[in-house]
Amino acid sequence: MELIVRDRRDEADGVVSLTLADPDGHDLPVWTAGAHVDVTVDDGVVRQYSLSSDPADRTVWRLGVLREPAGRGGSEFVCTKLDVGDLVEVSTPRNHFELVPAGRYLFVAGGIGITPVLAMIARARATGAEWSLVYGGRTRSSMAFLDELGVYGDRVTVVPQDEQGLLPLADVLGGVAPGTLVYACGPEPMLAAVEAHVVDRAALHLERFTPKIVEGEGPDEAFEVEFATSGLTATVPAESSILAVAEELGLPVDFSCREGTCGSCETPILAGRAEHRDSVLESEEQAENTCLMICVSRAERGCARLRLEL
């Protein structure tokens, strides 16, 4: 769908927020805290950005975008070319970082990882849940939405690295009360540290902006894939991916990042077992073996054939 940029603000050094709305004033689709959208930024290039506004407000969606001059060009386009009044192609929201209902939450954010957490705070407040946030960044000037968070007082702990060092995760996570759900979003080193300090793994929910490193048990092997809906069967070579083979066959596949972080290419598994290499599904979801991300995941070793709903 095509949305119009209603507002554009510099939220911090290198961070811009865009507020999007329907050009005709219609309500936007329903979404839930933790969701992101695909934005077509330039020449058909698609990038994913988390929604940071209040899910209860159907009139606008807000994105927070970190400008990365050394990146692949998406943030550079958003931060330097899009302005108020411009039209932009945006997908319906997709959520792989759902806020599970609970009575108490601890949010941990690093850098631009604050964006989905803002929507989660709005939802937690609406349900009357207890919550607190620990928010880290390189410098105070690089940390977006601090004024917005300032109204919450001591519920929010701000930790600029140049002033206070790294987030004190051992202290923060070591004192988590039973029943608290922990939601963390930020750079990979922070997420790895959060994982190392959380005792109750079932309480931990992460969202990654870059793919986690998945160590294989040996060299990749070829395997067969039956695309059940299309009635086609093909071999996926060791050096290729299911997505690449599907593209070669002309199958209608949704994809964007090609690195297992956006969830666009999620595909149901009808038979066989997958070796999951994505950064989207939680370990319990991977163990259920009901779907996989075809851009990075493969057949499990010893499984010669996958049957997929594609």
Side-chain angles (χ1 to χ4, degrees), residues 32-35 95-100 120 183 205 282:
T32 54
N95 200 341
H96 291 283
F97 194 39
E98 287 276 4
L99 188 67
V100 177
M120 291 181 170
Y183 280 78
H205 302 265
E282 296 183 2

Side-chain angles (χ1 to χ4, degrees), residues 208 212 214 260 269 272-293 296-297 300:
R208 288 179 159 88
K212 64 181 178 182
V214 179
I269 299 172
R273 294 200 60 83
E275 180 182 296
H276 296 280
R277 300 182 178 181
D278 66 274
S279 302
V280 177
L281 300 175
E282 296 183 2
S283 56
E284 295 82 1
E285 294 174 310
Q286 292 181 346
E288 290 172 0
N289 196 56
T290 58
C291 64
L292 81 168
M293 306 303 157
V296 292
S297 297
E300 189 177 77

Side-chain angles (χ1 to χ4, degrees), residues 14-81:
V15 179
V16 168
S17 70
L18 297 177
T19 300
L20 309 177
D22 183 273
D24 299 319
H26 300 306
D27 280 352
L28 298 174
V30 173
W31 61 283
T32 54
H36 68 269
V37 292
D38 296 339
V39 179
T40 303
V41 293
D42 192 19
D43 294 331
V45 174
V46 177
R47 295 290 180 264
Q48 293 75 42
Y49 298 108
S50 296
L51 294 175
S52 65
S53 45
D54 186 343
D57 184 357
R58 298 278 305 279
T59 63
V60 295
W61 290 344
R62 185 180 64 178
L63 313 178
V65 182
L66 171 65
R67 184 179 181 185
E68 299 179 276
R72 296 178 294 172
S75 66
E76 188 76 6
F77 178 85
V78 171
C79 292
T80 63
K81 301 295 176 62

Side-chain angles (χ1 to χ4, degrees), residues 171-240:
D171 295 336
V172 172
L173 296 169
V176 172
T180 301
L181 296 189
V182 179
Y183 280 78
C185 185
E188 184 58 31
M190 186 202 84
L191 296 182
V194 170
E195 285 184 300
H197 287 100
V198 171
V199 176
D200 183 3
R201 308 296 294 186
L204 179 60
H205 302 265
L206 304 176
E207 181 172 58
R208 288 179 159 88
F209 292 144
T210 56
K212 64 181 178 182
I213 298 174
V214 179
E215 298 289 346
E217 296 180 0
D220 288 341
E221 301 173 347
F223 60 94
E224 281 194 343
V225 173
E226 178 186 350
F227 299 106
T229 306
S230 305
L232 299 174
T233 298
T235 297
V236 179
E239 68 280 3
S240 190

